């Protein structure tokens, strides 16, 4: 009898339905979608969303490369896309099922890391910049609009022990390269050497390499300057206001240029529910849904139709919505592989062990 029932289930597809529940598994940065957006998607698709989080691109890449399965949608930063494609971990997007893709700003499409957007579509973006205690920095007469605030020993002498930088080799080297007038993506040995010298000279003035708790440290007033992401500075300022601190956390782009991180939605090849994955991506490309993320965390928005739903106080922040002139100075980091990646890793180790 059991064999007969199993045959009937296979014939009707009941086994498949029982195994593939109406659940979308999302692998994303922490705090990178609003609870309201999740609730609305669940209602519209009559499904559940289960989320898992990562704190760094390297963590996500390592987990997927090691064979982790069960996720439908993943949201990597641009430079992490080529490795995912190269490892055959993602599937091409069926654009005929994504009518809301028309809402995207063309300036964020057809990027070098995915020409023609075969595998990915933009979700949100951040800039990497300097956040600071507005009261202290004003009192000390320091210009926060230059990378000198984290690299010039003469400036750092005024704020020694009150500065943190990201624990991220690509971002720290990119900032030092731009400070010295080079491309953030330079792989020229002499330019990387100059950037490394800049970092090592500045390091004794820094309190720590910190990519995890600088929001809290800024909010508490324990540090006065942090190298970090624009949406994190938005959060730090929001928290400082809520705690009624006697200072604010301001943030601005640097005159030498900044890096731009565009995060993108992709469907994994092993996705249990690729149908829900496509529905989710199309849902997030709706302007109103996309704007909810910007209003919550202060992320930049690559969706042209979202602008009308973004709160004016968020839209007015130049680091969140850079002007056309500032956009020209933003650089996306390229994927590094092979010798270039090994060279940077070696130089980073030298930075971390330097006294």
């Amino acid at each position: 009898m059991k064999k007969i029932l199993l045959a009937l289930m296979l014939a009707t597809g009941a086994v498949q339905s029982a195994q593939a529940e109406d659940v979308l598994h999302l692998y994303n940065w922490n705090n990178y979608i609003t609870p309201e957006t999740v609730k609305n998607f669940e209602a519209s698709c009559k499904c559940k969303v289960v989320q898992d989080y990562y704190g760094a691109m390297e963590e996500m890449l390592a987990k997927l490369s090691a064979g982790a399965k069960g996720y439908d949608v993943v949201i990597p930063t641009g430079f992490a896309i080529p490795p995912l494609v190269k490892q055959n971990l993602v599937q091409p997007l069926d654009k005929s099922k994504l009518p809301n893709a028309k809402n995207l700003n063309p300036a964020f499409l057809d990027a070098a890391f995915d020409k023609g957007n075969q595998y990915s579509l933009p979700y949100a973006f951040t800039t990497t910049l300097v956040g600071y205690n507005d009261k202290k920095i004003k009192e000390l007469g320091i210009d926060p609009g230059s990378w000198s605030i984290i690299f010039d020993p003469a400036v750092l002498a005024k704020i020694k022990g009150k500065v943190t930088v990201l624990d991220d080799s690509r971002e720290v080297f990119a900032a030092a390269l731009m400070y010295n007038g080079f491309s953030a993506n330079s792989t020229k040995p002499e330019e990387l050497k100059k950037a490394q010298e800049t970092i090592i000279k500045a390091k004794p003035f820094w309190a720590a390499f910190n990519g995890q708790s600088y929001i809290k440290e800024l909010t508490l007033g324990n540090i006065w300057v942090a190298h970090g992401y624009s949406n994190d500075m938005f959060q730090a300022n929001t928290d400082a206001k809520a705690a009624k601190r006697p200072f604010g956390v301001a943030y601005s782009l640097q005159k030498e240029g900044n890096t731009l991180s565009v995060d993108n939605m992709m469907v994994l090849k092993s996705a249990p529910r690729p149908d829900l994955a496509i529905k989710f991506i199309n849902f997030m490309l709706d302007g109103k849904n996309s704007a909810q993320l910007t209003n919550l965390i202060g992320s930049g928005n690559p969706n042209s139709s979202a602008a009308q739903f973004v709160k004016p106080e968020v839209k007015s922040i130049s680091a969140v919505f850079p002007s056309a002139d500032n956009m020209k100075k933003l650089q996306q980091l390229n994927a590094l592989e092979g010798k270039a990646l090994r060279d940077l890793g070696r130089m980073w180790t030298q930075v971390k062990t330097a006294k």
Side-chain angles (χ1 to χ4, degrees):
M1 179 61 75
K2 287 183 178 178
K3 289 183 178 179
I4 295 174
L5 284 174
L6 179 59
L8 287 171
M9 292 172 74
L10 286 169
T12 60
V15 168
Q16 185 178 0
S17 297
Q19 289 176 341
E21 298 175 351
D22 292 331
V23 177
L24 175 81
H25 290 270
L26 178 62
Y27 192 27
N28 197 2
W29 294 94
N30 191 27
N31 193 36
Y32 214 24
I33 189 169
T34 74
E36 183 181 358
T37 305
V38 171
K39 188 176 177 181
N40 290 342
F41 177 71
E42 290 177 331
S44 71
C45 285
K46 296 180 174 54
C47 68
K48 289 290 182 185
V49 175
V50 175
Q51 297 189 68
D52 195 6
Y53 308 103
Y54 45 85
M57 271 299 89
E58 291 76 12
E59 177 187 346
M60 182 274 282
L61 286 171
K63 190 169 181 177
L64 294 181
S65 298
K69 290 183 169 49
Y71 301 121
D72 295 293
V73 176
V74 63
I75 302 182
T77 302
F79 70 84
I81 290 176
L84 292 172
V85 173
K86 194 173 181 179
Q87 294 179 69
N88 201 27
L89 294 175
V90 292
Q91 56 182 280
L93 296 175
D94 184 349
K95 305 287 180 53
S96 68
K97 296 178 180 176
L98 296 166
N100 286 338
K102 69 178 185 302
N103 295 331
L104 288 165
N105 183 335
F108 293 92
L109 298 175
D110 200 30
F113 49 72
D114 183 19
K115 298 299 287 185
N117 293 91
Q118 295 182 67
Y119 300 95
S120 66
L121 286 171
Y123 178 79
F125 68 84
T126 58
T127 51
T128 306
L129 39 64
V130 171
Y132 55 95
N133 181 312
D134 58 0
K135 184 178 179 184
K136 288 291 183 184
I137 296 307
K138 184 176 181 181
E139 286 175 354
L140 294 167
I142 295 173
D143 173 15
S146 166
W147 287 116
S148 62
I149 194 172
I150 65 169
F151 289 128
D152 185 346
V155 176
L156 286 167
K158 301 177 182 177
I159 50 178
K160 184 175 182 178
K162 296 293 184 181
V163 182
T164 65
V165 299
L166 288 169
D167 192 6
D168 183 310
S169 59
R170 293 299 310 276
E171 291 288 6
V172 174
F173 264 87
L177 284 165
M178 290 184 285
Y179 175 59
N180 283 291
F182 308 133
S183 163
N185 284 301
S186 176
T187 55
K188 295 179 180 176
E190 65 276 18
E191 294 182 358
L192 284 171
K193 185 64 178 174
K194 178 71 175 174
Q196 186 192 43
E197 290 171 356
T198 296
I199 297 167
I200 290 175
K201 285 180 182 175
K203 183 185 169 189
F205 296 92
W206 299 342
F209 292 93
N210 186 348
Q212 298 294 325
S213 61
Y214 64 85
I215 298 175
K216 179 181 176 183
E217 298 299 326
L218 272 171
T219 303
L220 292 174
N222 293 337
I223 61 170
W224 299 339
V225 174
H227 169 227
Y229 302 108
S230 53
N231 56 319
D232 284 348
M233 304 311 173
F234 178 90
Q235 184 64 53
N237 190 43
T238 301
D239 292 349
K241 285 182 180 176
K244 298 183 178 177
R245 303 289 181 199
F247 58 83
V249 177
Y251 48 108
S252 61
L253 297 170
Q254 278 53 63
K255 64 184 180 184
E256 299 92 347
N258 298 75
T259 54
L260 170 72
S261 298
V262 180
D263 296 320
N264 300 267
M265 298 175 280
M266 305 182 84
V267 181
L268 293 175
K269 209 151 199 173
S270 59
R273 291 299 302 267
D275 56 328
L276 287 180
I278 287 292
K279 287 181 180 177
F280 174 79
I281 292 174
N282 195 54
F283 182 85
M284 291 309 302
L285 293 174
D286 176 88
K288 192 172 184 179
N289 297 329
S290 180
Q292 287 178 338
L293 180 65
T294 296
N295 288 331
L296 174 72
I297 70 166
S299 62
N301 202 308
N303 192 317
S304 298
S305 69
Q308 60 187 309
F309 303 107
V310 174
K311 295 176 181 177
E313 60 267 32
V314 178
K315 199 182 295 185
S316 66
I317 302 172
S318 60
V320 177
F321 286 90
S323 67
D325 286 343
N326 283 331
M327 283 297 292
K328 294 176 183 174
K329 295 182 180 179
L330 299 179
Q331 301 179 56
Q332 293 193 57
L333 293 176
N334 297 335
L336 279 186
E337 297 181 277
K339 183 177 183 300
L341 185 60
R342 291 194 298 274
D343 287 347
L344 183 66
R346 175 179 49 77
M347 298 184 82
W348 183 242
T349 299
Q350 292 169 348
V351 164
K352 298 295 282 288
T353 57
K355 299 296 183 183

